[in-house]
Amino acid sequence: MDKLDLNMKEVHKELVDFLKENFKKNGFSKAVLGLSGGIDSALAAYLLRDALGKENVLAIMMPYKSSNPDSLNHAKLVVEDLGINSKIIEITD
């Protein structure tokens, strides 16, 4: 299999532009994101911050009693690094 050759700056620009255009087209300027602490939601958080601005992204973290504590800690690290607003909603009950 051939190595995938990507220009990461261009990929980032394309993804951010896509988000900007689609949010604007649909009349939205803010986003609420479920942030699990995994790579998928972390990447989405970074892209949304770059597309909408940190003041327009709200991360919701929803730990459950059987959740790995590392997941919430990782999500908190993403929130801190991005400077976005966040809420923790315990969903065990």
Side-chain angles (χ1 to χ4, degrees), residues 61-75:
M61 296 166 278
M62 298 181 290
Y64 184 70
K65 65 182 175 184
S66 61
S67 298
N68 184 332
D70 287 343
S71 295
L72 181 58
N73 291 331
H74 293 157

Side-chain angles (χ1 to χ4, degrees), residues 8-24:
M8 295 311 290
K9 286 183 181 181
E10 185 61 30
V11 170
H12 176 265
K13 181 184 178 322
E14 289 291 327
L15 292 170
V16 168
D17 288 348
F18 173 82
L19 288 169
K20 283 181 185 177
E21 290 170 19
N22 280 278
F23 269 75
K24 184 177 180 180

Side-chain angles (χ1 to χ4, degrees), residues 23 28-36 41-42 44-62 75-76 78-80 82-89:
F23 269 75
F28 297 108
S29 60
K30 298 180 181 210
V32 176
L33 167 76
L35 186 60
S36 68
S41 64
Y46 279 88
L47 291 170
L48 285 167
R49 187 272 319 260
D50 292 348
L52 304 176
K54 68 180 182 179
E55 66 282 355
N56 295 315
V57 179
L58 172 63
I60 304 294
M61 296 166 278
M62 298 181 290
K76 288 177 180 178
V78 170
V79 166
E80 184 179 313
L82 291 174
I84 60 176
N85 294 314
S86 66
K87 288 188 179 189
I88 298 174
I89 302 171

